[in-house]
Amino acid sequence: MIRRAVTLAITLTMVLTGPAPAALARSADILALLRAVPGMSVQERPSTEDGVRWFWLRYRQPVDHRHPEGAWFEQRVMLQHRSLDRPMVFHLTGHNVPETMFETEPTKILDANQISMEYRYYPGSRPVPTDWTKDTFWQGASDQHRIVTALKSIYDRKWIGTGGSKGGQASVIHRRYYPDDVAGTVAYVAPNDIDDEDDSAYDRFLATVGDDPACRARVRSLAREILERRPAMVRLLEAAAAAHGWTFDVVGGIDRAFEYSVMDYETGFWSYNDEADCGSLPSPDASDEVLFSSFDRVLGFPFFTDQALAPFVSVFYQAGTEMGWPTPSYPHLRPLLRYADDYGPRSYVPRDIPMTLDQSVLRDVDRWVRARGTRLMFVNGGNDPMTAEPYRLGPGSRDSAVYTAPGVKHVFLGEVIGRLPSWQKERAIADLRRWAR
């Protein structure tokens, strides 16, 4: 997780109602141009990057894009401005937006400006009262379209879409509904779970991930050992919860939170740890305290606390209504599981928020990619479990490619194109630069 930077904000907030004047010269100060965008407030912060100005924007969005005359909310957008003569990389987080400056890989390759956009219904971009039925893929893509439309009068060079994981998925969905907003899309490890009833792809992936069978076996044996020591592990978790003030009401108690965490252990190890980290894992016969501490370093028990879940209601809601949820079969854990049938997004969202799964949007986007997708680059990590159900190209895909970087885990913002085999790296960079010309 990216650390939050401590900044002294220079508050320059102003909401305006008139259109961006066409007569404003390109040489006009970017702050003046941003302040002229209708419905946008602007805050400039001290930059930590040479040659780049840093702006935080709040943009007025309708709760329901089909009824823009209705309720509205403000959405957080981070802008890193280099030059009006450079391309714009439109980075979709799919989640909240980090409050520190950073550059995505496409931004670095293109020496571009960058916008990072918080997904609707995250705490910083959530309407109150909250109508959760409007937390949909289409509404999110329409948020993105309005931002592009609002800022293209300022940034009129080529735009490139990007994002990682759920943000990568959001960048593809954006193209499905608004294909001309950006000139190309680089989607990192974008999940494509179009059939939530069949997650056997994750079993096949976890059976072969990495180069060392002994590492795979070690991770699985530790997960089982931790589950077999349930009473001791739950006592340790209770002590940690008391010390930190954690509660477990949403998931239905600490025993469920413990079990769900162990069910996540294998996918979590491969998502967030390098294979070389296997060497630092304890032996299965280590003490309770050593096993507990190691698990907490590898994945973290607190994830299923009420406090940790609260900011992520948006993603769990979408997982239970449109996105789906990866569920390996866990044959090595199955005899010890008590709540396997309840593992999933319904257990992570407050019960007063109804959810019904309908994956028709994902299936439509998948068909579009294979039938009409153009200038799409899918970049996956070879050790990333989210690669188990990827987007694939089809007979109608044009000027598009799928790449997999060997040994790479679930990377959102790091170098992945740069870790491709040399000929793929050169081709990917050449395509990206061509799209941005």
Side-chain angles (χ1 to χ4, degrees), residues 3-15:
R3 289 182 310 177
R4 293 177 178 270
V6 178
T7 62
L8 176 62
I10 303 172
T11 304
L12 298 164
T13 304
M14 178 177 247
V15 178

Side-chain angles (χ1 to χ4, degrees), residues 28 166 310:
K166 186 175 182 289

Side-chain angles (χ1 to χ4, degrees), residues 318-330:
Q318 286 200 319
T321 56
E322 293 184 300
M323 187 166 59
W325 183 260
T327 309
S329 63
Y330 306 110

